Amino acid sequence: MSLYNLLSKRNSVSAGTNLVGKFTQSVRRIVQDVKDEGTASGQTKEEVIETNERLRLVRIRLEESYDTAKRALVGLMGKYNESKTVRNVFQRYTMLKAMIKDVIRLETQYWTLVDIPKQEKQETVPAFVLKACTIMEKSQKSGDGVKTAQKIAEDEEKRKERLERLSDMITAQIEAENTQMTNDLYRLLKKYSGLRNIIRELKSEYVNSKVYPIFPRYTILKDLIKDIMHNPDYMEVCHEVDPV
């Protein structure tokens, strides 16, 4: 084979390879464009990204309230166990009242614990989570509006980084991440709801106990704390290790 024919054949193969490569890239772009037209839920990529951001921010807010409630109840148990060494009934009675007040005070500080809705029987997990998101977004935590310029800049920089990461993903990937975040948030909502109900009930029972004289009330207060200790909602979370 002549040198001319050999070079012509090589150029032909190279051109064919480039053509195939360009065709493959074109197909990939078309496939991604089709995928990014929307999802099974009918959301566009922009809407899926917005949902991702909502879920992330609400989870941060909910985790703060969850950790506050959990620490308060775990702290109550610690104080109760320490009070067992006090033999003087009057002193221990005063201690019991004080430690319970430290917990139920959270119910009067509306900005400390967020309120979440009740899940209806026919309500799906995604629908319930988004409903909870809407309610929590409307309730502003005390101090949320007071941010330094540096803090605002840092938050905006982190937000840009998150959005850049999501923009590099296809819609189906973001939706899969949203599904996982929704399920995780749902479990956290349920655990938080359990602790919040414990605190509400503790407050109600504590107020009702005020009609009793000191000695029967002393027993009532001890029983209130011991009931929490054996409550399934408390037992589920009391051994969790807080992040460092």
Side-chain angles (χ1 to χ4, degrees):
M1 182 181 294
S2 67
L3 179 60
Y4 174 78
N5 290 336
L6 182 61
L7 291 174
S8 297
K9 184 176 181 180
R10 182 176 297 174
N11 290 336
S12 177
V13 171
S14 177
T17 302
N18 290 337
L19 183 61
V20 171
K22 291 180 180 178
F23 176 74
T24 302
Q25 291 176 356
S26 178
V27 170
R28 285 176 179 170
R29 282 197 299 269
I30 292 173
V31 170
Q32 178 150 340
D33 288 342
V34 170
K35 288 182 177 179
D36 286 345
E37 281 297 318
T39 64
S41 62
Q43 289 185 312
T44 64
K45 184 172 184 177
E46 289 72 21
E47 290 171 334
V48 174
I49 289 177
E50 181 183 353
T51 299
N52 186 283
E53 186 72 0
R54 288 184 68 195
L55 291 170
R56 191 175 303 279
L57 294 176
V58 167
R59 181 181 177 86
I60 292 173
R61 176 75 188 280
L62 182 61
E63 282 178 340
E64 292 176 355
S65 290
Y66 171 72
D67 289 339
T68 298
K70 185 179 69 174
R71 282 196 302 268
L73 292 173
V74 171
L76 173 64
M77 295 307 149
K79 293 175 183 177
Y80 175 76
N81 288 330
E82 291 174 0
S83 73
K84 291 179 180 179
T85 61
V86 178
R87 299 303 177 188
N88 186 295
V89 173
F90 296 99
Q91 288 182 356
R92 194 179 184 206
Y93 172 69
T94 301
M95 294 174 67
L96 292 174
K97 288 195 300 179
M99 65 181 72
I100 291 177
K101 283 182 179 179
D102 285 342
V103 176
I104 63 178
R105 188 178 292 117
L106 296 176
E107 278 296 306
T108 61
Q109 298 171 340
Y110 66 89
W111 62 87
T112 305
L113 300 178
V114 296
D115 288 321
I116 59 174
K118 181 180 179 182
Q119 184 178 12
E120 303 299 333
K121 289 184 178 180
Q122 303 301 323
E123 198 168 28
T124 64
V125 169
F128 170 66
V129 169
L130 289 179
K131 181 175 72 174
C133 285
T134 300
I135 290 177
M136 282 188 280
E137 286 166 344
K138 290 180 180 178
S139 62
Q140 186 181 41
K141 185 177 178 182
S142 178
D144 278 355
V146 182
K147 289 185 178 181
T148 63
Q150 181 180 355
K151 178 62 176 174
I152 294 174
E154 290 175 354
D155 289 346
E156 183 59 26
E157 184 63 28
K158 290 178 181 178
R159 181 175 178 275
K160 286 181 179 179
E161 291 176 358
R162 292 196 301 269
L163 295 180
E164 286 177 3
R165 181 184 71 86
L166 294 173
S167 65
D168 291 336
M169 299 166 61
I170 64 173
T171 308
Q173 290 175 319
I174 303 172
E175 188 169 55
E177 183 175 296
N178 288 357
T179 298
Q180 184 61 53
M181 291 173 65
T182 297
N183 292 335
D184 292 342
L185 188 54
Y186 178 75
R187 285 189 287 269
L188 185 60
L189 281 165
K190 287 300 182 180
K191 290 198 295 183
Y192 172 70
S193 179
L195 298 185
R196 189 71 190 275
N197 288 337
I198 289 175
I199 295 175
R200 284 199 183 102
E201 186 174 347
L202 177 63
K203 179 185 177 182
S204 176
E205 294 295 335
Y206 177 81
V207 172
N208 292 339
S209 71
K210 290 182 178 181
V211 299
Y212 294 96
I214 182 172
F215 288 109
R217 193 184 185 208
Y218 170 75
T219 302
I220 290 173
L221 296 183
K222 286 197 302 179
D223 289 342
L224 286 178
I225 298 175
K226 286 190 286 187
D227 286 345
I228 294 175
M229 193 180 300
H230 298 100
N231 187 298
D233 290 326
Y234 172 76
M235 294 175 66
E236 180 185 0
V237 305
C238 65
H239 299 299
E240 290 180 351
V241 178
D242 291 330
V244 179

